[in-house]
Amino acid sequence: MKTFKITRMALLCGASLFAGAAPMAAWAQETEQPAGEPQPTEPEIVVVGTQIQGAKINDVLPVTVLDEQAIENTGAASGDELFRAIPQAGTVAFNEQNETTANNARGDVGSINLRDLGTGNTLLLINGRRMTLHPGFQTELLVPVVSSDTNEIAPGSVRRIEVLRDGASAIYGADAVAGVINTVLKGNLRGGFLEADWRASDGTSLYSYRLSGGLGFDFGGGRGNLTVYGGYFHENGMPASERDYAADDNRLPLVEGTDFEGDSSFNNRNTFGPFGQFDIQAPSGSTPIGDDDFYLQPGTFPDCDLDFGGGICARSGSTPTSAVRYNRNFGNNLISRKNRYNAMALLNYDLTDNVEAYVEASYYRSENRRNITPSAILSAVPVGISRDAYYNPFGPAMRDGQPNPERLPGTTISDDGADLIMERYRFVDAGNRDVSVDKNVYRMVAGLRGNFGAWDFDTGLVYSEADTIDLARNRVSLTLMQQQINLTTPDAYNPFNGGCLEDPGNGDCTPNPQSSIDPFRISVFRKSGTSLALADFKVSRDDLFSLPGGDVGVAAGVEWRKETFYDDRDPRLDGTITFTDSVTGDFNGSDVAGTSPSPDTSGKRQVYSAFAEVFVPLVSPDLDIPLVEELNLQLAGRLEHFKDIDETAAVPRIAGSWTVVPGVTLRGAWSRGFRAPNLVQVNDEGTTRSNTRDDFIVCQAQVEKGIIDDLGACPGAGVISFRSGTENLVPEDSTNINLGVVLEPGFIPGLTLTADYWRVKQTGLVGTFGDDNAIALDYLRRLEGSSNPNVVRLAPTAEDIALFEGTGIAPAGKIDYVIDDYLNLDSRVSKGWDFGLFYRVPDFGLGKFRLRLNAARLESFVQSAGPDGQELLDGIAAGIVPLDVTVGGLGELLEVDGRPKWRFSGSVNWESGPVDVGLFGNYVGRVYDTSVSRDDPIVSDDPNANFFPVDPFFTMNLSVAYSINNDTPLDGTRLRFAINNLFDEDPPLADETYGFYSDLHSARGRVFHVELRKKF
């Protein structure tokens, strides 16, 4: 993409020859109308992707259309479930199971990711205009990403969904790299309806219900219409304990009898639990432990070195054995408790015979609450325990003139006692974190549309804002906690009393008194918000002049929009209240246990754009040219200027369709696209993140010394990474190619078949190299005698030197921090195929049949590695770096942690009189979980053969509806019974937080659904 400076006036007034590649209404079809609305007498033609009103554009670009019947077939209770049923939609990174950190987009949220090109590369529209972004953000494929929230779209308010499966930056602007999804709302309702439904997941306590209604009426002698909708949804939530695959971090029993039986990767119980790990600030030989590092465990476990009383003992070492590790899913919710409220009003009024005024107003609120694992300290932020702390087992010999009852006998520690460093500990007795996320979204659209002479116009103003409050209860203040531990009286907090002796991984059977916990238990908030203001003006004409092939259409327009965001962190996270260890003097910018410091961040952006579009029919059937029944061409272009980064994108697009003979149409498109760095990437002034990472070079030394078996058993440690944004980032470029065929054989009336090949190349991707990749690169280079300068280490200690002695590897000190700034990285190329079938079976007297099939085949997805990444991949290929060291986000990513080769959905509907029966199937293909690799690698042509295979997932929905149409009070009543996931398929097992890929699969199981609707 060419970028250049341009003044605001020149941008708004300049004209460029554009063309709008208007996508086809490939499956133009009747849409089931909302209750109370008259049925159309002719099929409704769906066209998205062109701004030319009334242009006769069909079969040009690939569009998937979901009408009300298709939406109902999916069984969706939320926008997230609805969009997941689209095969071209990729992984859903924003989902409610992704809740482990406040730095993720938590709560009742869903995202959209067409083609798996990355969240933020798909533009989501409501009635043809942009949605505001969800306030939260998170990292995906090394890139901090943002997305509109699909859950803001209630399926019951939608007339149809139009999915343009091709890049459309020339028509719609930034973020339309992978495609555009337009949600068309129900309007012009005449009459009303009331609706209620109830759902329950078989074999669980999970249930939900929804109440909704709408009313519409004409006024002003039929010149206007007002339609209003409202709805309430409640779901009670489900604990993780109700699903075997989610109940326990130790999933070894679930892989028994497979090739991965006994693989330690499936035991993810955490080294941070109520049985803590400590470092004595005294010589190693001063206690019977024989080491300054020790951890606590039940006294019945082997290798006890020192009895602590109460059935627990100390064992030497810095890595707790797997038997004492903690199940982080204990007491958690798998599915949140939630409420959703939505209200909407649609108004249109004919001011004159040629001008119509319209208004859209909507409000959405969600309330989401769930329990997640109790707080733990970060290994990068250990906490000092004073020698004078009441429960310090190595405290002073005397206290208040009496022998200290808490000091353990049999040590040579001085009578003054010794300080301790608490390096691993989880505050299980403080309770699971109780997280609520409340969200409010307001949207207002007002505009005029109509015509003056032969020209159509549409102009509008949009204002929308979204705000969230993420409140986490039962968090731990480091400062207050350290004060409580270091009290010299019995009301101090005791971190040495262990947990449950029978099963150390579940709960805490020896909790501290509430009076010693409450002083340091806090609530922590994150307040975030986004807004969108937009003004546009568009004109079009479908008959500017005539050619032998037909009328030439043209459209042009200008747009201004302003986007803002803010991210307000709790004072204990944003640097206002910090933690300075009273024992060691170490400083940390966060005072919240387990959470890295994050500064308050905000940003704003103004964007100015202009577009033009031309549709040129070159050949029509009337010309009677052999093998050229029709030939159409679209040209489009757009300029878009981003004021904050002072960059301008200029993107063209050309598309065409060639109908060889009636019923056989070839189509193709080439376009350029762009995506500007999002406001988080540009305005982040410096974020510190502490993540658990494997320090591979240290673990390699442990392997050489026989301490651990392989790098797969590397215990991980807290690593600080520094990231910052910059205004020097430039927009990402993309090039899209789409080639396809549409078959509508005349000898099978009602049948449409489509096949499309697509290819997208993205360059200048904004992201980070990744701190885990940086550490892996440091590992490779240290094996070869050098190092990675972005991995900054402390000087090796005597203990470090001793560990590396005799390994042939130079001693490496502890990682201090990793530099991981945002950059315009390298390129990504992805390609695949789409296949479609739509068949409205002729009526043979057996009722109406309608068949649909939509399939997506991903052929490849290659992320270019760049020099550093390629060095890593070469090291793996050469066998220098073992497969246990995974390289995130680089190379061929097909079927890697997502991105299955095949996804499809299909449905069959049968209607006969008052009865409607629907059958819907949804398939998600196999992927590989690269966090698990075979202990004994096999030789295979499949590069993923040594990783854990996550099985395909196929579910079916069945529904039966009966409508009453008579002159009784029950007239207009419809009863529908449905079963989602008819055969109660569990999501396939994966080495993930809750045992499955929540961004691909669902844990709801078989769901019974009863719906009652009454129209009037």
Side-chain angles (χ1 to χ4, degrees):
M1 176 186 64
K2 181 179 180 181
T3 59
F4 52 90
K5 294 185 177 180
I6 188 168
T7 65
R8 180 185 311 177
M9 187 61 66
L11 176 61
L12 289 176
C13 298
S16 56
L17 185 61
F18 280 56
M24 68 101 176
W27 299 340
Q29 53 196 270
E30 297 179 15
T31 58
E32 180 184 337
Q33 298 300 298
E37 186 172 343
Q39 298 290 328
T41 57
E42 297 179 359
E44 181 174 357
I45 303 299
V46 178
V47 178
V48 63
T50 181
Q51 305 287 4
I52 304 174
Q53 299 297 313
K56 298 177 181 179
I57 302 174
N58 292 305
D59 300 338
V60 177
L61 288 180
V63 172
T64 296
V65 177
L66 281 76
D67 63 8
E68 289 187 71
Q69 186 181 68
I71 292 171
E72 191 173 72
N73 284 338
T74 68
S78 67
D80 177 42
E81 293 179 11
L82 172 59
F83 287 102
R84 282 176 183 250
I86 300 172
Q88 289 75 23
T91 52
V92 181
F94 292 32
N95 66 77
E96 64 173 309
Q97 281 81 37
N98 197 7
E99 37 68 320
T100 55
T101 170
N103 296 318
N104 280 354
R106 299 198 293 199
D108 184 22
V109 59
S111 56
I112 187 67
N113 178 14
L114 283 179
R115 305 293 194 200
D116 258 318
L117 296 186
T119 306
N121 281 288
T122 303
L123 185 60
L124 202 56
L125 308 176
I126 296 180
N127 281 351
R129 288 188 170 93
R130 288 173 177 260
M131 292 178 62
T132 192
L133 296 172
H134 179 71
F137 61 89
Q138 59 194 44
T139 298
E140 174 187 323
L141 277 178
L142 312 180
V143 182
V145 295
V146 294
S147 174
S148 297
D149 179 6
T150 55
N151 276 338
E152 294 175 21
I153 300 172
S157 67
V158 177
R159 175 165 296 163
R160 66 180 180 271
I161 301 288
E162 305 166 350
V163 184
L164 172 58
R165 299 177 274 112
D166 191 22
S169 291
I171 301 295
Y172 294 104
D175 307 332
V177 172
V180 179
I181 298 180
N182 183 36
T183 301
V184 180
L185 302 175
K186 298 176 182 176
N188 288 316
L189 188 66
R190 297 173 185 89
F193 71 93
L194 293 173
E195 194 170 81
D197 72 41
W198 174 86
R199 299 170 185 243
S201 288
D202 189 18
T204 75
S205 60
L206 181 67
Y207 70 87
S208 67
Y209 61 85
R210 177 177 60 91
L211 304 171
S212 61
L215 177 65
F217 56 88
D218 291 341
F219 63 92
R223 298 179 69 89
N225 180 272
L226 175 63
T227 299
V228 295
Y229 293 94
Y232 169 71
F233 174 87
H234 170 76
E235 187 165 62
N236 68 322
M238 182 171 73
S241 58
E242 295 193 7
R243 296 297 193 198
D244 290 342
Y245 50 82
D248 200 325
D249 273 330
N250 181 11
R251 300 186 179 91
L252 284 173
L254 303 182
V255 293
E256 290 181 359
T258 74
D259 291 345
F260 292 83
E261 181 173 353
D263 193 305
S264 59
S265 296
F266 278 102
N267 185 358
N268 288 311
R269 288 198 171 190
N270 195 255
T271 55
F272 292 76
F275 290 89
Q277 186 244 315
F278 307 88
D279 188 318
I280 309 171
Q281 302 301 287
S284 297
S286 59
T287 73
I289 300 172
D291 193 346
D292 57 332
D293 291 307
F294 73 91
Y295 59 89
L296 300 179
Q297 64 177 22
T300 55
F301 281 24
D303 300 320
C304 282
D305 297 309
L306 181 61
D307 185 10
F308 265 54
I312 63 176
C313 71
R315 179 175 175 175
S316 63
S318 59
T319 306
T321 183
S322 60
V324 79
R325 297 178 186 179
Y326 190 70
N327 171 26
R328 292 166 296 178
N329 290 349
F330 181 80
N332 288 5
N333 287 106
L334 177 59
I335 296 177
S336 306
R337 305 179 295 279
K338 60 180 70 74
N339 296 307
R340 299 187 189 118
Y341 310 82
N342 67 285
M344 184 180 304
L346 304 172
L347 172 69
N348 55 276
Y349 185 78
D350 292 334
L351 298 176
T352 70
D353 290 342
N354 299 319
V355 179
E356 178 188 49
Y358 58 91
V359 175
E360 302 170 14
S362 63
Y363 169 72
Y364 170 81
R365 175 175 173 80
S366 66
E367 300 167 346
N368 187 85
R369 194 159 185 175
R370 66 185 297 126
N371 289 340
I372 64 175
T373 191
S375 293
I377 63 173
L378 294 172
S379 56
V381 189
V383 176
I385 300 176
S386 169
R387 66 190 63 199
D388 295 321
Y390 185 83
Y391 291 106
N392 186 337
F394 308 112
M398 304 293 291
R399 178 178 285 132
D400 298 329
Q402 300 293 326
N404 182 358
E406 299 300 324
R407 175 166 169 141
L408 295 176
T411 74
T412 60
I413 290 176
S414 71
D415 288 348
D416 292 336
D419 298 332
L420 293 174
I421 304 298
M422 183 166 65
E423 297 183 332
R424 300 177 195 261
Y425 189 77
R426 189 175 299 277
F427 298 90
V428 178
D429 52 6
N432 286 66
R433 284 174 284 172
D434 177 2
V435 178
S436 64
V437 182
D438 295 339
K439 178 178 181 180
N440 292 288
V441 183
Y442 308 86
R443 176 180 167 92
M444 175 70 73
V445 181
L448 299 172
R449 60 188 167 218
N451 61 79
F452 44 87
W455 291 87
D456 296 310
F457 75 92
D458 189 349
T459 183
L461 299 172
V462 179
Y463 182 76
S464 181
E465 67 176 45
D467 299 280
T468 59
I469 299 178
D470 182 316
L471 183 65
R473 305 163 187 84
N474 291 351
R475 298 303 307 268
V476 171
S477 161
L478 291 170
T479 300
L480 298 177
M481 175 267 293
Q482 187 178 51
Q483 291 174 0
Q484 193 67 25
I485 286 179
N486 286 336
L487 290 178
T488 60
T489 55
D491 55 344
Y493 183 84
N494 181 9
F496 304 101
N497 61 359
C500 294
L501 300 180
E502 295 297 324
D503 185 356
N506 287 309
D508 187 349
C509 301
T510 58
N512 277 267
Q514 203 65 42
S515 58
S516 70
I517 299 172
D518 287 341
F520 61 78
R521 193 163 57 175
I522 59 173
S523 295
V524 176
F525 71 79
R526 178 185 182 184
K527 299 178 181 178
S528 305
T530 58
S531 72
L532 169 67
L534 182 148
D536 61 12
F537 179 77
K538 296 171 285 188
V539 294
S540 71
R541 181 173 175 175
D542 62 357
D543 59 352
L544 183 64
F545 58 88
S546 293
L547 294 175
D551 294 334
V552 173
V554 65
V558 293
E559 179 185 281
W560 165 86
R561 68 179 184 270
K562 180 179 181 180
E563 302 167 340
T564 71
F565 95 100
Y566 71 89
D567 189 24
D568 178 16
R569 301 298 183 114
D570 192 277
R572 297 182 185 274
L573 292 173
D574 67 9
T576 304
I577 301 174
T578 59
F579 171 61
T580 300
D581 195 299
S582 61
V583 175
T584 66
D586 291 340
F587 172 82
N588 187 53
S590 167
D591 187 49
V592 181
T595 302
S596 305
S598 295
D600 295 338
T601 311
S602 64
K604 60 183 179 181
R605 165 178 292 161
Q606 293 192 61
V607 184
Y608 303 87
S609 62
F611 81 93
E613 174 186 350
V614 178
F615 168 62
V616 185
L618 299 175
V619 177
S620 71
D622 295 339
L623 297 179
D624 198 23
I625 299 177
L627 298 181
V628 187
E629 180 77 6
E630 288 188 67
L631 183 62
N632 298 314
L633 180 68
Q634 298 84 31
L635 303 171
R638 189 180 190 95
L639 295 176
E640 193 148 296
H641 178 68
F642 301 87
K643 187 175 179 181
D644 59 331
I645 58 176
D646 195 23
E647 291 283 343
T648 299
V651 288
R653 180 170 171 182
I654 182 169
S657 66
W658 169 26
T659 300
V660 183
V661 295
V664 179
T665 298
L666 306 178
R667 62 189 179 196
W670 172 91
S671 64
R672 301 292 298 273
F674 63 95
R675 183 168 72 109
N678 62 52
L679 289 175
V680 178
Q681 297 163 352
V682 173
N683 293 280
D684 188 351
E685 296 180 356
T687 296
T688 301
R689 289 287 177 263
S690 178
N691 298 303
T692 299
R693 299 293 186 228
D694 294 337
D695 189 346
F696 294 113
I697 197 65
V698 171
C699 290
Q700 183 64 44
Q702 293 176 341
V703 171
E704 300 292 337
K705 291 293 186 71
I707 299 173
I708 59 176
D709 294 333
D710 52 48
L711 292 185
C714 198
V719 172
I720 299 292
S721 64
F722 291 107
R723 302 173 184 171
S724 63
T726 174
E727 294 181 356
N728 295 324
L729 294 172
V730 299
E732 303 170 358
D733 296 334
S734 63
T735 302
N736 292 55
I737 296 174
N738 200 296
L739 303 171
V741 60
V742 180
L743 301 178
E744 298 174 291
F747 56 89
I748 309 179
L751 174 65
T752 299
L753 299 170
T754 64
D756 294 277
Y757 168 82
W758 59 270
R759 180 183 184 274
V760 181
K761 180 177 182 179
Q762 300 166 272
T763 58
L765 298 171
V766 176
T768 66
F769 183 60
D771 54 4
D772 48 354
N773 287 340
I775 295 169
L777 181 61
D778 186 63
Y779 166 77
L780 171 62
R781 290 181 177 176
R782 286 180 178 274
L783 290 178
E784 297 175 336
S786 62
S787 64
N788 180 4
N790 288 324
V791 179
V792 181
R793 294 179 179 271
L794 300 174
T797 64
E799 185 178 0
D800 296 330
I801 294 172
L803 174 63
F804 281 88
E805 185 177 358
T807 64
I809 306 171
K814 180 181 178 181
I815 296 174
D816 193 14
Y817 59 89
V818 177
I819 300 171
D820 198 24
D821 290 339
Y822 301 139
L823 305 166
N824 278 102
L825 299 175
D826 292 279
S827 64
R828 179 190 303 151
V829 177
S830 50
K831 54 188 175 181
W833 294 82
D834 293 329
F835 303 96
L837 176 152
F838 176 78
Y839 186 30
R840 189 187 300 274
V841 181
D843 190 349
F844 297 109
L846 300 177
K848 299 178 181 179
F849 285 89
R850 184 151 56 162
L851 284 69
R852 301 179 182 89
L853 176 68
N854 182 9
R857 167 64 161 92
L858 185 60
E859 188 173 313
S860 70
F861 192 99
V862 179
Q863 174 88 31
S864 294
D868 289 346
Q870 190 60 51
E871 184 180 347
L872 261 179
L873 294 177
D874 291 344
I876 293 175
I880 302 172
V881 178
L883 290 175
D884 293 311
V885 180
T886 57
V887 181
L890 298 175
E892 175 59 82
L893 303 181
L894 179 64
E895 295 188 304
V896 174
D897 299 321
R899 293 171 292 277
K901 286 183 180 179
W902 281 101
R903 297 184 68 157
F904 68 77
S905 65
S907 62
V908 179
N909 287 90
W910 172 70
E911 299 175 53
S912 180
V915 179
D916 186 344
V917 178
L919 188 65
F920 174 82
N922 190 60
Y923 174 85
V924 178
R926 180 184 61 184
V927 297
Y928 289 91
D929 188 341
T930 61
S931 67
V932 182
S933 60
R934 296 177 185 269
D935 292 333
D936 298 314
I938 62 174
V939 177
S940 172
D941 293 334
D942 184 351
N944 297 320
N946 288 301
F947 298 123
F948 181 74
V950 178
D951 293 335
F953 188 47
F954 179 68
T955 58
M956 295 187 67
N957 301 345
L958 174 67
S959 65
V960 180
Y962 184 83
S963 299
I964 300 175
N965 298 297
N966 54 29
D967 294 328
T968 71
L970 293 178
D971 182 51
T973 300
R974 180 176 185 254
L975 178 64
R976 181 173 181 267
F977 175 75
I979 304 176
N980 294 349
N981 192 350
L982 182 63
F983 300 109
D984 198 21
E985 296 290 334
D986 283 335
L989 182 68
D991 182 30
E992 295 294 305
T993 301
Y994 289 103
F996 71 104
Y997 276 121
S998 60
D999 51 2
L1000 279 177
H1001 307 129
S1002 171
R1004 294 178 179 274
R1006 180 163 47 220
V1007 178
F1008 296 102
H1009 175 201
V1010 179
E1011 177 187 288
L1012 179 65
R1013 179 195 297 173
K1014 176 68 170 73
K1015 67 179 181 180
F1016 52 87

